[in-house]
Amino acid sequence: MKAIIQRVTAAKFTVGDELVSSIGRGLCVLVGISTDDNANDVDWLARKLLNIRLFEEPASGKRWMESVVDQQLEILCVSQFTLYHRMKGNRPDFSRAMQGADAQRLYGTLLQKLREQYAPERIQDGRFGAMMQVHIQNDGPVTLEIESPPQSDQERQKLQRSQEHQAKAGHKQAARSAQPATEEPASIEKLTIGD
């Protein structure tokens, strides 16, 4: 999973004349998802985006000291399949980019993790698959490219086992909730009639 991170004073996405989303000071992030990416890549990228130190410390003015979380800033993300390209002559080939529903699922998981680990109202996104215009005011300018590290076969197998275990647990829970509830017999109390 790859991200182009831009430190911004403001950013917004539009489709035609419609404003899709916007932020003030923070990060504008273009997210590329490759055919090899999985939940481990999502975890890595979410952690990096929330912790990368691209802002100066207000008190001392020292650069590269604080993250968006430290300063309570915003993040604007958009899925960008063109980040996983290779050139075939003068024409780009995007066969390394994850396609359609699978890419949308992983991208949605990234947004969910960012919102869970930070503040939902500070995470904004574009419209998946739409032709958008990206308007940014790059601050610095500061632009970085980061990419999740390759995973070993052992890491991939561990993730697969974990996902299979979660799926089984989910099926068992669904089966339990589908069974009709059995009612406990009502308890009979002895009534004493007094004078």
Side-chain angles (χ1 to χ4, degrees), residues 182-188:
T182 56
E183 291 187 25
E184 294 289 322
S187 62
I188 301 172

Side-chain angles (χ1 to χ4, degrees), residues 27 49-50 52 55 67-75 118:
L27 300 176
L49 292 176
L50 294 176
I52 193 166
F55 300 92
S67 68
V68 286
V69 174
D70 295 329
Q71 295 199 2
Q72 295 295 292
L73 302 176
E74 298 174 290
I75 299 176
Y118 183 32

Side-chain angles (χ1 to χ4, degrees), residues 54-102:
L54 297 181
F55 300 92
E56 65 183 37
E57 188 176 54
S60 67
K62 285 187 178 179
R63 293 183 185 184
W64 321 114
M65 296 300 288
E66 294 194 341
S67 68
V68 286
V69 174
D70 295 329
Q71 295 199 2
Q72 295 295 292
L73 302 176
E74 298 174 290
I75 299 176
L76 180 60
C77 292
V78 65
S79 176
Q80 181 73 48
F81 75 92
T82 61
L83 294 180
Y84 277 103
H85 73 281
R86 60 180 157 223
M87 298 303 293
K88 289 189 171 180
N90 291 326
R91 185 180 183 143
D93 171 66
F94 304 111
S95 59
R96 292 179 53 217
M98 188 177 285
Q99 302 295 309
D102 291 334

Side-chain angles (χ1 to χ4, degrees), residues 39-52 67-70 72-73 75 108-123:
N40 290 339
D41 299 285
V42 170
D43 290 341
W44 183 90
L45 187 57
R47 191 170 54 254
K48 283 293 183 190
L49 292 176
L50 294 176
N51 293 294
I52 193 166
S67 68
V68 286
V69 174
D70 295 329
Q72 295 295 292
L73 302 176
I75 299 176
T109 303
L110 172 65
L111 294 174
Q112 179 184 345
K113 288 208 176 281
L114 290 170
R115 290 175 175 137
E116 287 171 357
Q117 295 173 24
Y118 183 32
E121 69 279 2
R122 295 186 189 273
I123 306 298

